[in-house]
Structures are given as C-alpha cells and as structure tokens.
Amino acid sequence: MDTREMLASFRIPIPLGIDEVATVIDACLNCAQSCTSCADADLLEDDVDEMRRCAALDASCADLCETTARILSRPGQWDEFVVHRLLQACARVCDACAEECARHAAHHRHCAICEKACRACERACNELLEGEAFTELQKLAGG
Amino acid sequence: MDTREMLASFRIPIPLGIDEVATVIDACLNCAQSCTSCADADLLEDDVDEMRRCAALDASCADLCETTARILSRPGQWDEFVVHRLLQACARVCDACAEECARHAAHHRHCAICEKACRACERACNELLEGEAFTELQKLAGG
Amino acid sequence: MDTREMLASFRIPIPLGIDEVATVIDACLNCAQSCTSCADADLLEDDVDEMRRCAALDASCADLCETTARILSRPGQWDEFVVHRLLQACARVCDACAEECARHAAHHRHCAICEKACRACERACNELLEGEAFTELQKLAGG
Amino acid sequence: MDTREMLASFRIPIPLGIDEVATVIDACLNCAQSCTSCADADLLEDDVDEMRRCAALDASCADLCETTARILSRPGQWDEFVVHRLLQACARVCDACAEECARHAAHHRHCAICEKACRACERACNELLEGEAFTELQKLAGG
C-alpha cells in the first residue's frame, strides 16, 4: 500500500499524524476485503443457518471500514467531529464482527482470518481515538 | 423509491420506525446523488479556484450519505451505537456541505440544488437523532 | 430525487440525454436500496438455506448499481467505453438477481419488491445501451 | 493484506486463480486509496485550474476500483460476464487516470505516486482479462 507516501505528499500537515492515519486506512481496507469475502464464504457453508449473523455484520463492517478509509484519505477539509464519530462507529462494528467471527473461527478458516482483521482495525481506530487530539471530544462523548 | 415497502417487509419491527428510517434513507440517497454531481460540476466551472472546498466536501458527504443509507437499510443486526454515531457524522458533513454550497448558490444552480438536498438530509438525520430511542446515547454524547 | 435537475444544471450537454441518464441513476439507487435490504431480510428467514444465492447476488447487485449511479452522475469527464461496459455489467447482475428473487417472491415480500426493482433497473440500463450513441461499441461487443 | 489467505479459505475453487485474483484485488484497493487522496490533494494546489480533470478522473477511478475489488472478493456466485465487463471498465479508467496524473507527476508528488498505482492496477486487470478463461468473451468484445 502507498498510503503513507500519499499522505506525506500533501502540502498541509496531516491531522493526527501521517503514520497513525496511514495505519488506520490500511487496517480498514484490509478489514473491508476480509469482511466482503467472509460474508460470501459464509453463504456457501453447510451450517449457513449458524452464519447469518456473521454475514450480516460482515456487510456493515465492510461498508463502514471503506468509508472510514475514504474520509481519512482526505485531510484537505478535515472535520474532527466527523472523523471522531466515524472512528467510533467503525471500532464498534469491528468489535461486533470480530466477536461473531470468533464463534466460528475453529471450524471456518475465513472467520479466523476475518476475526484477526477486525481486531486489528478496531485497535487501530481506538488508538487514533485515544490520541490527545480527541481528548475534548472524547470527554464530551463519554469515552 | 421502494424504501418504505422494503422496510415494511421485514419480519422484525424496524427500530426507530419504518417511516422515520425510510425518510432518512431516501434523503441520504438523494443527497449522495446531488453531491456526486455537484462535485463534478464544480470542476467544470470558470471559478474552480473558489469551488475547491465545495468539491472536497461533496465527496465526503456523498460517501457518508451512502453508507448511512446502507446501514439503515439493514435492520437485521441493528446496533444503536453504530447508527447513532453515523447519523451524527452524516448530519455534520451535510451541514458543512450545505453551508459551503450556499455561498455559491446564487451563481451555480447545482450548488443551490445540492444545498437543499444537504439540508433535507441533515434535518432527517437530526430528527432521528432527537427521537426518544436515542435519549440516553444523546446525553452521553453531550447532545 | 433531484437527479434530473442536477444533470440539467451542468454547463455541458449530458451525453445520452438528461432524462435518459436520470432514469438510470434513479433506477440504480432504488435497486441498490432494495438489494441491500433484501440481503439483510434473507438472513432473517427460516429458510435461509434457500436464500443464500439471493443474499450473495443482492450484495453484488447493490455495489454495481451504486457505482453505475455514481459514474453516470459525473458527465464532466465522460468516457463512453467505461459507461458502456459498466451498464452491461449492471444489467447482467440485475437480471441474475431478479431471476433469483422471482423464485422466492411468492413467500417473501422483500423478494417480490426487489425483483421489480432489479427488472426496472435492468430495463433502464438496456434502454441506454440500445441508444444510437452506443451503436458502434455495441457492435464491437457483439451485442 | 490478507486477500490471498481469504480467497484460499473458500470451499470452492477460485475462478481465474487465487494468486491472480488476489493481485487484482490488492492493486484495486491500493489504487482506490491513492486516487481518493490524490483528488483531495489536487484541490489544495495553487494550480487547481490545471488539476480539474485529474480530480474528476480520480473520483471515478476510486469508485470503479473499489467495486472491482468487492466483486472479485465474492467468488461464491461468480459471473464471468460481469467480472469481464467490470475489469474492462476498471482498466480503462485506470489508464485515463494514469495518463492525466503523468502530466502533473513532475510537480505534484501525489500524482507521481497515483500514476504508478493506476498503472499497476491497469496491468493487473489486463493480465486477468488476457487469461484463457476469458478468451471467448474477449473475442466477442472485440479485444
């Protein structure tokens, strides 16, 4: 991924830091890919009845991760509030998706990989959220 | 749009109400279309130098509106927190985009139409956010 | 939807016609919404085992419809080849999705609505494809 | 990116090959990220007047790359025709975007990086298109 280099090429400073933001973008794109494939793989399984919640969460997780990656890729008209709320939503759906995938990880390899991708993305979002930049918004949002 | 009918066809009750949610989805899709066209039209104008903030905000507004429409279109594994944060982010970027479009509405018709679409979407998101369902989350989020 | 008005606000003529293109954009956005909800509703059904192909096709149909709506919403740097190939892909996935939904339309109302939305979108794409503008590309593509 | 591993976890064979498809998906996601940032960076430049075509093409290139990545990530209900047409559209917009970025690569670093990402994605799509699997469709499409 050229994410880091792309952010470094902006003529303005990147709010929250180049490395920090690039890490979240890459984690989001990897998670979106994993979730898209995981949902499709779920629908081929013999125990599809058990996989319905997984497939549904995967779909929303992929959408939120892609949009988060896009918004973070545009520092030009950065809006701290938008980024903050989106990161919160993204971290939450990644957590829900990881938890569900974990239930199937032992018998479906795609869930094991997807769980890992969701956890990595959740962690990356949370690290950005816990940065000083968001301290005040964080307080307002009750954590 | 068949949005209302689609939501009514679910075998579960729609959190926040069928009409209320359908209104937001339709407003989001209309706003996403307006913003996508407005950004493209901005880049054809003689005063493109004045339109740069408009084009950039349009892009992020379109992305957030589409994702909000998608998440609201999936009541199956509804997550109140995700919906709440996403509606907040969506309302905020709609407001910023409407404000910028308003500055150009007198001389660019696409901005006048887009301003209206953004305001309608912002209003729809805020009406959902102000519903009783979100009262507690709302308090936590400091309004 | 303000689609027609947005296209009419461009300072360049709209290739393939304002009404014709607006019709496809609106049909695409309606179809994307229906497919997104239909996939989610499929995953709640008792006969989810029978709905797996429907849910998978819905996901790809929603993605292609949204992207087709976006590309058509940007006449500024119009590329006839890109539009043509995308319309072909969109019409095809709408047809496949409509066919699958038709199999469940009698017992799942969401599939009945979604089938209609897919057919309307397929028809709109094909009408654009059959226009004179595409005659040469059409010949090259073998129909 | 876990793309290769995700595709390898499917219980069905991957049409066109795991490595070949994973390469295109990864190239698409990298290109989508580059284009999204490049468009935003364009709008901050002093010579924005010269960058309008670049920003417009970037937007469509990002959309098509993301959708191509999604469709390829779902081998479950694979449709050769849809994949073929989408790859053609994606390769074409990547070529147009790379050509435009090349004009600005000497003075805007983001364009230099984005040009490379577009060319890599175009090449990956074309390699898949030239595979034996598509020989017949390729003939029908006149190359």
Side-chain angles (χ1 to χ4, degrees):
Chain A
M1 298 287 295
D2 298 316
T3 315
R4 210 205 155 283
E5 257 198 295
M6 280 304 300
L7 294 179
S9 75
F10 274 78
R11 53 187 297 158
I12 52 164
I14 303 303
L16 311 182
I18 291 178
D19 288 326
E20 290 80 353
V21 174
T23 300
V24 180
I25 294 174
D26 290 353
C28 279
L29 292 177
N30 187 51
C31 188
Q33 196 287 318
S34 288
C35 286
T36 303
S37 282
C38 188
D40 198 58
D42 285 342
L43 296 170
L44 300 173
E45 299 295 352
D46 290 335
D47 61 341
V48 65
D49 194 52
E50 302 296 315
M51 307 308 294
R52 32 175 110 213
R53 183 166 150 78
C54 188
L57 288 173
D58 277 336
S60 290
C61 194
D63 289 342
L64 267 165
C65 284
E66 269 187 21
T67 297
T68 303
R70 281 186 170 227
I71 300 298
L72 292 177
S73 296
R74 294 190 195 109
Q77 305 296 335
W78 190 269
D79 181 321
E80 193 176 79
F81 181 88
V82 171
V83 171
H84 184 267
R85 291 311 192 257
L86 196 51
L87 284 171
Q88 285 190 314
C90 192
R92 169 70 159 245
V93 77
C94 284
D95 175 47
C97 203
E99 212 162 294
E100 181 62 26
C101 275
R103 295 182 50 227
H104 315 288
H107 45 287
H108 295 318
R109 175 128 187 76
H110 50 85
C111 285
I113 307 167
C114 193
E115 181 199 354
K116 233 182 36 185
C118 290
R119 284 288 174 225
C121 190
E122 183 200 4
R123 210 162 31 236
C125 290
N126 280 331
E127 272 167 32
L128 215 52
L129 281 167
E130 285 154 15
E132 284 186 31
F134 284 135
T135 309
E136 202 180 336
L137 277 173
Q138 205 70 7
K139 270 184 287 178
L140 284 171
Chain B
M1 299 288 295
D2 299 316
T3 316
R4 210 205 154 283
E5 257 198 296
M6 280 305 301
L7 294 179
S9 76
F10 274 79
R11 53 187 298 160
I12 52 165
I14 304 301
L16 312 180
I18 291 177
D19 288 325
E20 291 79 354
V21 173
T23 300
V24 181
I25 293 174
D26 290 353
C28 280
L29 291 176
N30 187 51
C31 188
Q33 197 287 317
S34 289
C35 286
T36 303
S37 282
C38 188
D40 199 58
D42 286 342
L43 296 171
L44 300 174
E45 298 297 351
D46 290 335
D47 61 341
V48 64
D49 194 53
E50 303 296 316
M51 307 308 293
R52 33 176 110 213
R53 182 166 151 79
C54 188
L57 287 172
D58 277 336
S60 290
C61 194
D63 289 342
L64 266 165
C65 285
E66 269 187 22
T67 297
T68 303
R70 281 186 170 227
I71 300 297
L72 292 176
S73 295
R74 294 191 194 108
Q77 305 295 334
W78 189 269
D79 181 321
E80 195 177 78
F81 181 88
V82 171
V83 171
H84 184 266
R85 291 313 193 252
L86 196 51
L87 285 170
Q88 285 190 314
C90 192
R92 167 72 158 246
V93 77
C94 285
D95 175 46
C97 202
E99 214 163 292
E100 181 62 26
C101 275
R103 297 182 49 227
H104 315 287
H107 45 286
H108 295 318
R109 177 129 187 75
H110 50 86
C111 284
I113 307 167
C114 192
E115 181 199 354
K116 234 182 35 188
C118 290
R119 284 287 174 227
C121 190
E122 183 199 4
R123 211 163 29 238
C125 290
N126 279 330
E127 272 167 32
L128 215 52
L129 280 167
E130 284 154 15
E132 284 186 32
F134 284 134
T135 309
E136 203 180 336
L137 277 173
Q138 204 71 8
K139 269 183 288 178
L140 283 172
Chain C
M1 299 287 295
D2 299 316
T3 315
R4 208 204 156 285
E5 256 198 296
M6 281 304 301
L7 294 179
S9 76
F10 274 79
R11 51 188 299 158
I12 53 164
I14 303 303
L16 310 179
I18 290 177
D19 289 325
E20 290 80 352
V21 173
T23 301
V24 181
I25 293 173
D26 291 352
C28 280
L29 291 177
N30 187 51
C31 188
Q33 196 286 317
S34 289
C35 286
T36 303
S37 282
C38 188
D40 199 57
D42 286 343
L43 296 170
L44 299 174
E45 298 295 351
D46 291 334
D47 62 342
V48 65
D49 194 53
E50 302 296 315
M51 307 309 293
R52 32 175 110 213
R53 182 166 151 78
C54 188
L57 288 173
D58 277 335
S60 290
C61 194
D63 288 342
L64 266 164
C65 286
E66 268 186 22
T67 297
T68 302
R70 281 185 169 226
I71 300 296
L72 292 176
S73 295
R74 295 193 194 107
Q77 305 295 336
W78 190 267
D79 181 321
E80 194 177 79
F81 181 87
V82 170
V83 171
H84 184 267
R85 291 312 193 254
L86 196 52
L87 285 170
Q88 285 190 313
C90 191
R92 168 70 158 247
V93 77
C94 284
D95 175 47
C97 201
E99 213 163 292
E100 182 62 24
C101 275
R103 295 182 51 228
H104 314 287
H107 44 288
H108 295 318
R109 177 128 186 77
H110 51 85
C111 284
I113 306 167
C114 193
E115 180 199 355
K116 234 181 36 186
C118 289
R119 284 289 174 226
C121 190
E122 182 199 7
R123 210 163 31 239
C125 290
N126 280 330
E127 271 167 32
L128 215 54
L129 281 167
E130 284 154 16
E132 284 187 32
F134 284 135
T135 310
E136 202 178 335
L137 276 174
Q138 204 69 7
K139 270 186 287 179
L140 284 172
Chain D
M1 299 286 294
D2 299 317
T3 316
R4 209 204 155 285
E5 256 199 296
M6 280 304 301
L7 294 180
S9 76
F10 274 78
R11 52 187 297 160
I12 53 165
I14 303 304
L16 311 179
I18 291 177
D19 288 326
E20 291 80 353
V21 173
T23 300
V24 181
I25 293 173
D26 290 352
C28 280
L29 292 176
N30 187 51
C31 188
Q33 196 287 317
S34 288
C35 286
T36 302
S37 283
C38 188
D40 198 58
D42 286 342
L43 297 169
L44 299 174
E45 299 295 351
D46 291 334
D47 62 341
V48 65
D49 194 54
E50 303 296 315
M51 307 309 294
R52 31 174 111 214
R53 183 165 150 77
C54 187
L57 287 173
D58 276 336
S60 290
C61 194
D63 289 342
L64 266 165
C65 285
E66 268 187 22
T67 298
T68 303
R70 281 186 169 227
I71 300 296
L72 292 177
S73 296
R74 293 192 196 107
Q77 304 295 335
W78 189 268
D79 181 320
E80 194 177 79
F81 181 88
V82 170
V83 171
H84 184 267
R85 291 312 193 255
L86 196 52
L87 285 170
Q88 285 190 313
C90 191
R92 169 71 157 245
V93 78
C94 285
D95 175 47
C97 202
E99 213 163 291
E100 182 62 24
C101 276
R103 296 182 51 227
H104 315 288
H107 43 287
H108 294 319
R109 176 128 187 76
H110 51 85
C111 284
I113 306 167
C114 193
E115 181 200 355
K116 233 182 37 187
C118 289
R119 284 288 174 227
C121 189
E122 183 200 5
R123 211 162 31 238
C125 289
N126 280 331
E127 271 166 32
L128 215 53
L129 281 167
E130 284 153 16
E132 284 186 33
F134 284 134
T135 309
E136 203 179 335
L137 276 173
Q138 204 69 8
K139 270 185 286 180
L140 284 173

